[in-house]
Amino acid sequence: MTLLAVCLAGVAGIAWLATGAPPGLSGAKNVILPGFGPDGLRAWELRAVRAEPKPGGGVEASDLTLVTYDGAKPGVVAKSASAKFEPGAGRAASEAPVRLEGPGYEVSGVGWAWDANRSLIRVKSRVEVLFEESIEVLP
C-alpha cells in the first residue's frame, strides 16, 4: 500500500469516527485522531487500539493515549484502558484508571475527564501525584 493510500485511509477513518459509522461497521483498530486549535496547530491527539462510534457522534475508545500539545511540544500524556470521546466537542471521560505524565510530574488515579476547550484534565479519585523536580533547601 502506498503512503498516499495509507494517508487517505487515515483521513477516511477520522471522518468516519467524527460523523458516526455507516450501518454495518463496528469500529476501527489503531486509530489516530488529531485535534487542532484556532491557530491551526495541533492541540491534541488521541491514539486508540480500538475505537467504536456510538449514537450521537461519540466514540468509545480502548487502550488509549491522549497527548495534549503546548505549541509544537507535547504537554501532557494521558493513558487509560477506555474512555468515551467526543471529537467535535474536544472532550473525553472515563471511570477507568488513568496515568498522566507532564513536564516534571506524574499523576495517577481512577476516573477522569478531559476538556480541550478549557485545557483541563480532572482525575476523580484515588489520586497520587509524584513530582520529579528537586527542592532546594535554603540555609
Side-chain angles (χ1 to χ4, degrees):
M1 187 179 284
T2 67
L3 181 58
L4 177 60
V6 170
C7 290
L8 290 175
V11 169
I14 290 168
W16 163 72
L17 283 174
T19 60
L25 292 181
S26 62
K29 292 181 180 181
N30 300 320
V31 174
I32 301 173
L33 183 62
F36 298 92
D39 56 4
L41 296 176
R42 181 174 49 180
W44 53 265
E45 180 178 272
L46 174 79
R47 294 175 177 256
V49 171
R50 180 137 179 96
E52 185 176 324
K54 296 295 180 187
V59 175
E60 190 70 36
S62 59
D63 295 323
L64 67 104
T65 301
L66 173 67
V67 180
T68 64
Y69 288 88
D70 183 12
K73 304 185 308 185
V76 176
V77 177
K79 295 184 179 191
S80 186
S82 65
K84 178 158 187 204
F85 185 66
E86 299 174 42
R91 288 191 298 253
S94 177
E95 297 305 318
V98 65
R99 180 180 176 96
L100 308 171
E101 296 178 14
Y105 68 89
E106 294 178 12
V107 178
S108 62
V110 177
W112 58 279
W114 167 68
D115 185 341
N117 303 306
R118 295 175 47 203
S119 298
L120 177 71
I121 300 175
R122 183 175 65 106
V123 180
K124 297 179 181 178
S125 66
R126 291 195 263 170
V127 179
E128 294 183 16
V129 179
L130 172 65
F131 292 102
E132 298 171 353
E133 299 294 320
S134 63
I135 299 173
E136 184 177 321
V137 178
L138 299 174

